[in-house]
Amino acid sequence: MNAFDSQAARALPASRPACARAAFLVSPAGESLAAESASDNVYMDLSRVFSSDRARAQHQGLQRALSTELPVISFAGDPAAPDGMFPNNVFGTRAGTLIIGQMRHRVRQLEAERSDIRGFFTDVLGYATVDLRGGEVGELTGSLVIDRARGIGYAGLGERCTSAAAQAMAQAFDLRMLQQAALAPGEYHTNVVMAVLAGRVAVLCADGWADPKVADAIAAVYAPQVLWLEPEQKAAFAANCISLRDDSVWMSATAADVLSPTQRTQLQTGGLRIRSVELDEIEKAGGSLRCCVGEIF
């Protein structure tokens, strides 16, 4: 683990917007899962039957649900890029700027070439672009969990994020502080092992990191508002959650179902109402609700 001062991180003012002002999704389009992505995503199981119709229906339900809290737009999926329904790995934003990430797999690199999504941000919203393609692999807010309020990034290093990429992403997102540390063997994205909700509640699974002390250092920033997960809860995507406004947290029904009554109470004590939708078909692709949500700041 690189030097990370939890006390200094805790002291950073929560002076930036903690939650996005809008969100965007990309609808499921592939009739099967991306075998290339499954090579380093243990949450995928290609032996399971995947129903694209059911995935699309669940995705539409997700859009309707999220739209009760903020504006949500959805782009059509591309059958040649079945992982496109997880756009937060490829496209990210800070205020006035679109960020394009460098994906590891070619099947995902295709997503960054979409002129409609890029054009929406540049031509419609007038955003500038920071294009990280050509640099080292760093899969944006899959690999980098961001406390937007304080401007802190937590990067999990591995096959889908290098140290150099973490630093480039931190600069692109205009972060004040960066912690980077190796994920545990078998973990592919940081947002499967942790989340920061509304800038004040951390969700953590210690065994998601090669060194469990990494989780302790992160927890010290948010104590006592820390929700610790067991490995089986992590496997059910309980850490793959997001707050889209200050008083709620979104997660899949699978994730919500594995939370204990004590954990539910803890989130509520932290001022977060649990909201969930069925996404079990989409979760067969190795990601869950947070992965589906592109944030517009």
Side-chain angles (χ1 to χ4, degrees):
M1 181 178 70
N2 67 306
F4 178 74
D5 188 334
S6 298
Q7 185 174 356
R10 186 181 178 93
L12 286 174
S15 56
R16 301 179 178 183
C19 302
R21 63 191 180 105
F24 70 97
L25 312 177
V26 176
S27 61
E31 296 301 317
S32 60
L33 303 179
E36 187 179 10
S37 295
S39 66
D40 62 351
N41 184 341
V42 298
Y43 296 88
M44 294 180 70
D45 182 357
L46 298 182
S47 67
R48 302 172 69 188
V49 176
F50 176 72
S51 169
S52 57
D53 288 341
R54 189 163 184 263
R56 281 188 287 269
Q58 290 186 344
H59 196 267
Q60 289 169 358
L62 173 64
Q63 183 178 8
R64 287 193 299 270
L66 298 183
S67 294
T68 65
E69 290 196 347
L70 78 175
V72 182
I73 62 171
S74 184
F75 293 93
D78 179 358
D83 279 342
M85 60 185 165
F86 303 135
N88 77 304
N89 307 149
V90 182
F91 301 103
T93 68
R94 70 170 197 257
T97 301
L98 170 69
I99 301 161
I100 304 175
Q102 175 60 52
M103 305 302 293
R104 182 184 188 209
H105 297 300
R106 176 57 185 165
V107 69
R108 301 228 59 188
Q109 293 168 8
L110 294 172
E111 298 168 40
E113 299 173 8
R114 290 189 55 155
S115 59
D116 57 340
I117 296 178
R118 288 187 281 111
F120 171 76
F121 285 98
T122 58
D123 301 338
V124 178
L125 297 185
Y127 278 25
T129 301
V130 174
D131 193 339
L132 300 178
R133 292 177 295 173
E136 296 188 14
V137 173
E139 301 196 341
L140 295 192
T141 53
S143 296
L144 181 72
V145 169
I146 303 176
D147 176 344
R148 297 279 188 164
R150 289 183 176 86
I152 305 172
Y154 301 101
L157 306 182
E159 293 178 317
R160 297 202 185 190
C161 182
T162 69
S163 177
Q167 295 174 56
M169 291 189 293
Q171 182 176 0
F173 282 104
D174 189 28
L175 301 183
R176 295 165 171 159
M177 186 176 290
L178 173 68
Q179 183 219 44
Q180 48 180 320
L183 293 173
E187 298 293 353
Y188 79 111
H189 272 164
T190 316
N191 72 5
V192 180
V193 305
M194 70 164 289
V196 176
L197 305 175
R200 64 179 187 272
V201 178
V203 179
L204 290 162
C205 184
D207 84 338
W209 304 93
D211 181 354
K213 292 181 181 178
V214 172
D216 293 333
I218 298 170
V221 180
Y222 304 95
Q225 298 290 354
V226 180
L227 180 68
W228 289 103
L229 299 178
E230 297 298 325
E232 59 270 20
Q233 293 176 312
K234 170 178 65 70
F237 295 108
N240 199 241
C241 53
I242 188 171
S243 287
L244 295 174
R245 65 185 199 189
D246 289 340
D247 62 354
S248 67
V249 53
W250 286 95
M251 62 185 68
S252 73
T254 302
D257 286 346
V258 300
L259 295 180
S260 70
T262 299
Q263 290 171 320
R264 288 174 171 273
T265 298
Q266 187 175 357
L267 288 172
Q268 292 164 3
T269 300
L272 298 173
R273 179 168 64 105
I274 299 172
R275 304 198 63 183
S276 63
V277 293
E278 294 283 351
L279 290 177
D280 59 295
E281 200 65 38
I282 288 173
E283 288 173 334
K284 293 178 181 178
S288 189
L289 190 145
R290 197 275 169 267
C291 296
C292 291
V293 180
E295 298 166 284
I296 301 177
F297 280 86

